[in-house]
Amino acid sequence: MSLQVEKLEKGMAKLTIEVSAEEFDKAVDTVYKKQRGRIQIPGFRKGKAPRKMIENMYGEGIFFEDAANELIPGAYEKAYDECGEEITSSPEIDVVQIEHGKPFIFTAVVALKPEVKLGEYKGVAIDRVSADVTEAEVDAEIEKERDNSARMVSVEDRAVQDGDMTELDFEGFVDGEAFEGGKGENYPLTIGSGAFIPGFEEQLIGAELNKEVEVKVTFPEDYNAEHLAGKDAVFKCTVKEIKVKELPELDDEFAAEVSEYDTLEEYKANVRKGLEEKKEKQAKDEKEDAAMAAVVENAEMEIPDAMLMTEQRQMLDQFAQRISMQGMQFEQYMQMTGATREAMLEQLKPQAERKIKSRLCMEAVAAAENITASEEEYEEEMKVMADAYQIEVDKVKEMMGEKEKKSIMADIAVRKAVEFVAENAVMKEKEEKTEEKTEE
């Protein structure tokens, strides 16, 4: 394999990757052997036709596309390691040459890690964050526990009210015809949650158990299912069950049930202690976030569009995984909320940009201050991972190659750089915002 690297404008680069004719022909032969069993040629038993015979009948390039797909991942990965550049985006692949007897050539256009010009990063001024815990916060935390300990009680003597948890059968119709994805059975829906299309849940208020009601809605103009966008729909709904929460009394018995303490007073004291620890951690995190934001504000860098889009896609994929872990398919989530993948990517853009800039700046601070990770810190990270996965430390290390170790060491150095800028920040009291009075 040979490689050429060409720097482009706006932080991009083009890798031209050439795979030998021999390797390409070997990939074509591999694909032929995988696919020949599915190809029928007159005069030959299925799977026994020679490669040349198949190529003569169906065209010389019948196996080219799949052969390219066989070669590109490995060749690109090798080029990634050999190019000497820090690549920060997914590649945009384009095939340049694909012929029998000639090298297979393709290009990969990628974003490179941008240069960061740090401004002031030591002694940046940030607002002081309070870690004080109020009585109202203690009460609110206890109310959360009461809510968690609440019993779900079925209601049978009244109609649906706002805030009720219901189980619902529904089927949607547009112009009198049922549409795909518009039907559900025993679907859990909390009235007022905003989980369904605007206007849907409000119309269920007053619905009686096991009596069909019609809910009329209009799908948003930007709804992700184009055949439904802007359309009027009627949902035939039947509420199968109504449930409400019944909160426990706030007394010593409640305290004993939810904690290791015998009295409500002891329980409240422990809740306060936990909140104090939580707010101290939160204050530390906010201080670090504010210090990082100040460093980013003082720095100069240009983020390539491809790098930004790669981060947006990764964030959306992570969100889709979380939705899936909650038992809902991402496509179903988009349909029920009216969201589109494109709109969600655009919504994630500012967050993705902040994340990239923060990381780049902290890497630059680490380099400027010679902040690195020690072997002891790496070992500690391995222990943390081993505990998280509940496996032995040695097994975690076995899964780590040099590339993974380098990435983890870089992450540790970045965390230390964050701590460095926060520790060196200058704290100031928050300025109270006042409305300016204007003379009429």
Side-chain angles (χ1 to χ4, degrees), residues 42-98:
F44 293 91
R45 282 183 297 143
K46 198 170 186 180
K48 297 299 182 180
R51 177 178 143 189
K52 273 293 182 186
M53 187 69 73
I54 296 173
E55 290 175 339
N56 288 338
M57 177 165 285
Y58 292 101
E60 185 183 43
I62 181 174
F63 302 118
F64 281 6
E65 182 178 347
D66 289 328
N69 291 335
E70 287 269 344
L71 286 171
I72 287 172
Y76 172 74
E77 185 177 356
K78 191 175 179 183
Y80 181 101
D81 293 335
E82 292 180 2
C83 71
E85 302 288 346
E86 291 193 68
I87 295 173
T88 60
S89 74
S90 301
E92 185 179 321
I93 302 294
D94 186 37
V95 174
V96 176
Q97 178 173 282
I98 184 166

Side-chain angles (χ1 to χ4, degrees), residues 319-335:
F319 176 75
Q321 288 173 5
R322 291 196 296 272
I323 289 292
S324 178
M325 289 174 67
Q326 294 171 15
M328 179 182 284
Q329 294 298 318
F330 186 52
E331 290 73 17
Q332 186 182 13
Y333 169 83
M334 289 194 292
Q335 186 172 18

Side-chain angles (χ1 to χ4, degrees), residues 353-373:
E353 186 171 11
R354 285 195 301 272
K355 187 176 178 182
I356 290 171
K357 287 184 173 181
S358 297
R359 173 80 185 199
L360 290 173
C361 282
M362 292 306 101
E363 288 177 348
V365 169
E369 294 293 327
N370 197 27
I371 297 172
T372 58

Side-chain angles (χ1 to χ4, degrees), residues 59-274:
E60 185 183 43
I62 181 174
F63 302 118
F64 281 6
E65 182 178 347
D66 289 328
N69 291 335
E70 287 269 344
L71 286 171
I72 287 172
Y76 172 74
E77 185 177 356
K78 191 175 179 183
Y80 181 101
D81 293 335
E82 292 180 2
C83 71
E85 302 288 346
E86 291 193 68
I87 295 173
T88 60
S89 74
S90 301
E92 185 179 321
I93 302 294
D94 186 37
V95 174
V96 176
Q97 178 173 282
I98 184 166
E99 297 180 44
H100 272 314
K102 293 185 178 181
F104 171 59
I105 303 173
F106 68 98
T107 60
V109 176
V110 294
L112 302 181
K113 181 180 176 179
E115 179 185 358
V116 177
K117 294 181 180 178
L118 287 173
E120 182 184 25
Y121 64 88
K122 281 191 283 192
V124 293
I126 60 175
D127 290 335
R128 188 179 303 280
V129 181
S130 173
D132 295 338
V133 174
T134 66
E135 194 66 26
E137 288 172 326
V138 174
D139 291 341
E141 193 68 20
I142 292 174
E143 282 303 310
K144 284 183 189 176
E145 191 58 48
R146 284 184 75 202
D147 190 68
N148 292 336
S149 301
R151 292 192 309 125
M152 300 306 302
V153 180
S154 292
V155 175
E156 298 180 356
D157 59 352
R158 66 166 173 79
V160 173
Q161 296 179 2
D162 192 20
D164 285 347
M165 282 162 280
T166 67
E167 282 193 8
L168 180 71
D169 289 353
F170 61 87
E171 185 170 15
F173 299 82
V174 171
D175 297 329
E177 297 290 332
F179 58 87
E180 186 178 354
K183 186 175 182 179
E185 293 183 355
N186 299 320
Y187 195 94
L189 177 65
T190 299
I191 306 302
S193 64
F196 275 24
I197 299 166
F200 187 102
E201 294 167 30
E202 293 86 340
Q203 294 180 60
L204 288 176
I205 295 174
E208 297 181 9
L209 278 170
N210 300 311
K211 290 187 179 180
E212 187 177 282
V213 295
E214 289 191 351
V215 172
K216 298 178 181 179
V217 296
T218 301
F219 285 98
E221 293 290 343
D222 59 351
Y223 197 65
N224 65 309
E226 293 183 4
H227 67 290
L228 297 176
K231 295 287 184 67
D232 292 330
V234 175
F235 283 85
K236 294 182 178 180
C237 305
T238 303
V239 178
K240 307 295 286 296
E241 189 171 18
I242 303 172
K243 290 183 177 181
V244 295
K245 288 182 178 180
E246 188 177 87
L247 297 174
E249 292 293 326
L250 191 58
D251 52 21
D252 291 346
E253 184 179 346
F254 164 73
E257 286 180 357
V258 300
S259 73
E260 59 186 33
Y261 299 97
D262 296 327
T263 68
L264 182 61
E265 186 178 349
E266 290 175 313
Y267 171 58
K268 288 185 73 171
N270 185 64
V271 169
R272 174 177 287 278
K273 181 182 176 183

Side-chain angles (χ1 to χ4, degrees), residues 20 26 29-30 33 44 68 73 89 101 139 153 170 186 190 192 215 233 252 256 266 289 292 314 342 384 408 423:
S20 70
K26 188 184 295 184
D29 199 53
T30 298
K33 289 174 181 175
F44 293 91
S89 74
D139 291 341
V153 180
F170 61 87
N186 299 320
T190 299
V215 172
D252 291 346
E266 290 175 313
D289 288 344
M292 268 199 299
Q314 288 175 352
E342 292 71 22
V384 171
I408 290 170
E423 287 168 1

